[in-house]
Amino acid sequence: FAESVLNGRALVISPNFASDQTLYLVTNAFAHVSTDGGVNFAPATGWFSTHTVDALTMATDQIMFAAAADASEEGIFRSENGGIDWTLMRSGVFTAVATSPDYETDNLVLALDTTGQLHRSEDGGTTWTTPALTVSSSGTHTIAFSPTFVFDTDAQTDSRIMAASSDDVGAYLSDDGGLTWTHAGWYDPGDTFENGLIGGAVHDLAL
């Protein structure tokens, strides 16, 4: 258990952390939970004990999304009661999922599948579109919303999202809530960097 926690792949913090002190740690396809601010972790039980979890996000302290699988189904799952009960919202094999910081207003969810295709939902995962963004199918996939994100195409708001694969030579940026995307900070693989090092990889993102 201790080794699997040390090898954690993603830390998910409750939006209501100041009150509930809840953290989830996704480790090697399993999830561990802490309700004391990270002092102690234990394997997440119930639904989590029968599903492998590749990615997890908390939209609110009760609404959660997971890229997960069990013996019979695989895809993006949603829970509306803090992870007790789950519903499959999008079938497929997914590697990343993220929700808007303003989810209670916009219900925006983004996910990346194993081919690198982006999936986007504006109704909490009920219906989906596939914007024109495909990151590299290999590597680590990451999606990050700006912490001040507000999705409004008719106003001058912060609608920035970034997405990346560690096998691409940079990240992608959207200024309109994930509808359109451009390269952001891509380097020329032919350029040499300091001390003769060439290239790099994006393994995580933060805005």
Side-chain angles (χ1 to χ4, degrees):
F1 172 73
E3 181 180 357
S4 66
V5 169
L6 290 173
N7 291 329
R9 299 187 328 201
L11 182 67
V12 181
I13 303 172
S14 167
N16 198 30
F17 179 81
S19 299
D20 61 31
Q21 295 286 288
T22 298
L23 302 168
Y24 281 87
L25 188 64
V26 177
T27 61
N28 301 321
F30 294 97
H32 296 79
V33 62
S34 171
T35 55
D36 57 11
V39 176
N40 297 288
F41 281 88
T45 57
W47 179 90
F48 287 100
S49 65
T50 61
H51 290 73
T52 57
V53 179
D54 290 310
L56 183 70
T57 185
M58 298 184 72
T60 71
D61 60 352
Q62 293 296 305
I63 299 174
M64 305 171 68
F65 290 84
D70 66 4
S72 61
E73 55 187 8
E74 185 168 13
I76 298 295
F77 293 79
R78 181 179 70 193
S79 173
E80 297 181 348
N81 56 5
I84 298 172
D85 301 300
W86 294 79
T87 302
L88 180 64
M89 307 303 295
R90 181 78 158 175
S91 295
V93 185
F94 291 87
T95 53
V97 61
T99 50
S100 163
D102 195 31
Y103 178 86
E104 291 184 288
T105 300
D106 59 35
N107 293 304
L108 183 58
V109 187
L110 297 184
L112 286 166
D113 66 27
T114 52
T115 71
Q117 173 65 56
L118 181 73
H119 300 249
R120 183 179 184 276
S121 174
E122 290 186 25
D123 54 13
T126 301
T127 61
W128 297 81
T129 59
T130 50
L133 173 65
T134 303
V135 302
S136 174
S137 60
S138 55
T140 303
H141 291 167
T142 308
I143 305 169
F145 283 81
S146 168
T148 56
F149 180 91
V150 176
F151 178 54
D152 187 344
T153 57
D154 297 321
Q156 296 298 312
T157 58
D158 179 4
S159 295
R160 292 174 298 156
I161 311 171
M162 296 191 77
S165 165
S166 59
D167 273 7
D168 284 329
V169 292
Y172 292 86
L173 172 67
S174 173
D175 287 317
D176 56 8
L179 296 172
T180 60
W181 296 81
T182 58
H183 292 162
W186 283 51
Y187 67 86
D188 182 347
D191 288 345
T192 56
F193 286 73
E194 186 177 0
N195 298 322
L197 298 176
I198 301 176
V202 178
H203 285 276
D204 208 346
L205 293 165
L207 279 78

